[in-house]
Amino acid sequence: MIKTFREKGYTHGASYLESLSDQLFTHIEMWLKSGVIAPKTTSLLERVFREVGRRIKRIAWGWCDKAVTNLSKMILLKQYSRAKWEEYWKHKLGIEGHFGIHIASVQLSPCKDF
């Protein structure tokens, strides 16, 4: 798959698969070594697909392909790349470095019964 990705020019995808290649098929490797089929997947990639599929089925039922693709990208960013997720929203909301919040003190007020 990595070779095919490289041939087609999908360098980011090929690099991603290379960096995870030792974790991609651990479920199958465990099955081949022990003969025991694990009840849950141990492959990172399989877990990612399962998570995206679960969320898409609940949130985007009946949506067009483009909307589902964009939602999938958002799910992956939020779940697996927190820094990029925060960077995206800072840019989207226009709050990149324009202000900072500094809490000088916190004062508790007495609780009143209603």
Side-chain angles (χ1 to χ4, degrees):
M1 187 184 300
I2 294 169
K3 182 182 174 187
T4 303
F5 275 26
R6 288 220 185 277
E7 289 171 357
K8 293 185 179 256
Y10 304 141
T11 55
H12 293 293
S15 297
Y16 177 76
L17 289 175
E18 280 179 339
S19 67
L20 292 177
S21 62
D22 60 333
Q23 300 172 14
L24 283 177
F25 302 105
T26 53
H27 176 78
I28 294 170
E29 290 169 357
M30 184 176 11
W31 171 55
L32 291 174
K33 285 179 185 176
S34 67
V36 175
I37 298 174
K40 292 184 179 180
T41 182
T42 58
S43 168
L44 177 62
L45 190 58
E46 289 176 29
R47 280 184 286 191
V48 169
F49 288 153
R50 184 178 60 214
E51 180 67 16
V52 169
R54 183 183 67 81
R55 291 181 185 218
I56 292 299
K57 286 177 186 174
R58 298 188 99 200
I59 299 169
W61 183 258
W63 289 14
C64 69
D65 290 347
K66 184 176 181 180
V68 171
T69 300
N70 288 336
L71 181 61
S72 298
K73 289 177 187 178
M74 290 176 67
I75 291 168
L76 289 171
L77 272 178
K78 184 176 181 187
Q79 197 72 17
Y80 301 102
S81 182
R82 287 285 182 181
K84 286 186 180 181
W85 175 254
E86 289 175 13
E87 179 184 319
Y88 169 78
W89 281 108
K90 284 180 182 177
H91 176 73
K92 187 82 170 167
L93 296 172
I95 58 174
E96 299 174 283
H98 298 295
F99 64 89
I101 297 174
H102 175 72
I103 299 174
S105 68
V106 176
Q107 186 176 19
L108 297 175
S109 60
C111 184
K112 296 182 181 181
D113 293 327
F114 291 98

